[in-house]
Amino acid sequence: MLEITYLINGERHTIDFKSPADFVADEQLEVPSLQDHYRVVAVKVADQKDVNFKGTSIGDLYNYFLD
């Protein structure tokens, strides 16, 4: 499971995906669930709090999992 906590206009939101691959596939849709500029607060993969993600945005997270 992938859990992303992000900010929209200063408000904290959380979204879950089955896996990082599902997140990447969603970002490739014409209208993805998340905008690239949303600020990422936290990322957890399978209950691990540290996934070594150093970026700041959904776009950065997409690139992190794409590699």
Side-chain angles (χ1 to χ4, degrees):
M1 183 184 86
L2 170 65
E3 180 181 287
I4 303 168
T5 304
Y6 59 98
L7 298 176
I8 302 175
N9 298 325
E11 289 186 35
R12 189 177 287 248
H13 300 269
T14 301
I15 190 169
D16 296 325
F17 292 91
K18 288 183 180 180
S19 68
D22 286 342
F23 164 72
V24 168
D26 183 86
E27 283 296 295
Q28 293 173 343
L29 296 173
E30 186 171 336
V31 181
S33 299
L34 302 167
Q35 297 293 315
D36 288 345
H37 67 275
Y38 291 167
R39 306 296 287 179
V40 175
V41 175
V43 179
K44 287 196 273 185
V45 177
D47 297 326
Q48 296 176 354
K49 293 189 180 193
D50 181 16
V51 295
N52 203 29
F53 172 66
K54 304 293 186 214
T56 60
S57 69
I58 294 295
D60 293 338
L61 187 61
Y62 169 79
N63 289 327
Y64 173 81
F65 283 124
L66 192 61
D67 290 339

